[in-house]
Amino acid sequence: MSLRRSHLTGLDGIRALAVLSVLFYHLDFSWARGGFLGVDIFFVLSGFLITTLLLEERAETGRLVLIEFWRRRARRLLPALFLMVSIVVIAPLVMSRVLGSNALGAVDLGQLRGLGLASIFYYANWFAITSGPGYFAQFSSQSPLLHTWSLAIEEQFYLLWPLLTYFLVRRGVGVSRRLGIGVAIAVAAGSSALMALLYRAGSASSLNFVYNASFTRLFDLAVGAGLAWWVVERPATLQSARWLNPLSVLSLGALLFAFYFAGSRSQLPGNAVPTNFMFDGGFLLCAVGAACVIASVRVEGSWLARTFSLRPLRAIGQVSYGVYLWHWPIIIYVTAATVH
């Protein structure tokens, strides 16, 4: 089944799971202390989808036009992002006039302008490292655009990974598959190892760096890309789901377990932070688990595909990008306007 010509409804359900976990985490529910893993699910899914679309274009047309690929991504992602950033940056001026000059006193307007530019030009993750208090100090920093760090990492991946894929696919499907899987495994292993090596337990600056740096977060996207290379031009049949279903159900259970236990309260400001185990390979294990779930959902008619294709999940998944863009600025501005 070609993702260029059809739509897998179960993938919308996976998007819903990801965005809801992030939403509940940002709302600081105690049972969603590991909800930050929703971003990792988004990363794995993005790596899978982008690589799959590139490989299918090459297989179906015999060529890979990267300019067209980047143009399609820009049309889909940029208008909504520009609109959100514009409104978020202008909102303090409007709210101060309507609600009073101290309505948004907790919001750092100087940082907001800088982060607005960083969001538009997709370097918000590096801005958060060099200028921000850190992702896990969001509740104390009141920064309504800090969540755009993940969009920056994805866009950086969108710019570089297609170039590498372009050179890999020129060697033929069989050879390219082996190379693609090998490269994806190497990138995932190297990125995860760097995260483990650079992380220092109890250090807010270390946590902020390894969580936001592009090269220490590539493993999620690389795992998804590796899955795409593995399944390219291989039919997704119910027979293959017989052995995949038990593994994917266990993986989904492990992810749900991690949504509760992967985060813990600490002396650092803000909401729950990942446990030390997550930086020592836990994030990579969750990425592999997410890839197993995606692989099962890819098989239409499988139990997980039917579950994630339920209409409520599909509806949320179809607007997940918009929900992710807007949920955090709304939380920040509502909180700043009502608690000051």
Side-chain angles (χ1 to χ4, degrees):
M1 175 182 177
S2 172
L3 294 183
R4 295 181 71 233
R5 303 180 181 279
S6 56
H7 182 73
L8 277 180
T9 57
L11 297 183
D12 288 329
I14 293 179
R15 292 187 183 95
L17 173 66
V19 77
L20 287 176
S21 66
V22 172
L23 176 61
F24 294 144
Y25 172 74
H26 282 161
L27 290 172
D28 208 21
F29 287 110
S30 60
W31 46 266
R33 289 175 296 182
F36 50 78
L37 285 170
V39 173
D40 294 81
I41 295 175
F42 273 128
F43 281 169
V44 176
L45 186 57
S46 293
F48 170 72
L49 288 174
I50 292 306
T51 308
T52 298
L53 292 174
L54 289 169
L55 296 178
E56 288 182 348
E57 179 179 346
R58 169 67 176 179
E60 294 175 12
T61 67
R63 61 195 184 116
L64 194 55
V65 184
L66 296 184
I67 295 298
E68 285 300 317
F69 166 80
W70 286 321
R71 184 179 292 121
R72 290 193 298 269
R73 302 310 300 172
R75 283 201 303 265
R76 179 180 180 275
L77 300 176
L78 293 183
L81 176 67
F82 288 170
L83 176 63
M84 185 273 292
V85 171
S86 300
I87 291 177
V88 166
V89 171
I90 294 172
L93 300 176
V94 177
M95 295 178 73
S96 63
R97 290 180 177 273
V98 175
L99 300 176
S101 59
N102 295 324
L104 298 177
V107 176
D108 186 337
L109 299 182
Q111 186 197 56
L112 179 60
R113 288 190 290 271
L115 193 49
L117 288 174
S119 301
I120 289 175
F121 290 103
Y122 288 110
Y123 64 92
N125 60 318
W126 293 108
F127 184 94
I129 289 172
T130 58
S131 305
Y135 178 70
F136 297 98
Q138 290 178 100
F139 279 103
S140 62
S141 69
Q142 300 290 299
S143 181
L145 290 175
L146 204 59
H147 67 310
T148 58
W149 71 274
S150 63
L151 305 179
I153 290 178
E154 283 199 357
E155 189 63 23
Q156 292 158 23
F157 177 81
Y158 293 162
L159 289 175
L160 298 178
W161 185 257
L163 291 171
L164 179 58
T165 304
Y166 176 84
F167 289 105
L168 290 176
V169 297
R170 301 173 69 180
R171 297 176 174 270
V173 175
V175 176
S176 294
R177 177 184 286 117
R178 291 191 293 272
L179 280 174
I181 293 173
V183 169
I185 291 175
V187 171
S191 175
S192 180
L194 278 175
M195 172 177 275
L197 289 171
L198 296 176
Y199 175 65
R200 296 292 180 267
S203 169
S205 60
S206 170
L207 184 152
N208 187 37
F209 181 83
V210 300
Y211 196 81
N212 285 284
S214 305
F215 50 83
T216 55
R217 296 312 305 265
L218 276 177
F219 57 85
D220 286 319
L221 293 147
V223 167
L227 174 63
W229 276 107
W230 177 261
V231 303
V232 61
E233 296 191 352
R234 286 176 172 166
T237 63
L238 287 175
Q239 184 176 4
S240 64
R242 292 177 182 175
W243 63 267
L244 186 58
N245 274 340
L247 179 61
S248 56
V249 169
L250 287 174
S251 298
L252 178 60
L255 286 173
L256 296 177
F257 180 86
F259 286 161
Y260 183 84
F261 288 102
S264 64
R265 294 296 178 186
S266 73
Q267 296 180 349
L268 299 174
N271 37 344
V273 302
T275 62
N276 292 338
F277 168 74
M278 297 303 296
F279 295 99
D280 291 330
F283 277 115
L284 180 60
L285 289 176
C286 288
V288 173
C292 290
V293 175
I294 293 170
S296 182
V297 169
R298 175 177 171 267
V299 182
E300 291 188 292
S302 67
W303 179 80
L304 274 184
R306 294 195 302 270
T307 300
F308 279 106
S309 296
L310 293 174
R311 185 170 296 178
L313 289 176
R314 287 170 52 193
I316 296 172
Q318 288 167 358
V319 296
S320 58
Y321 180 55
V323 172
Y324 185 82
L325 284 179
W326 286 100
H327 81 282
W328 183 242
I330 291 173
I331 291 173
I332 286 293
Y333 281 153
V334 169
T335 302
T338 57
V339 183
H340 62 274

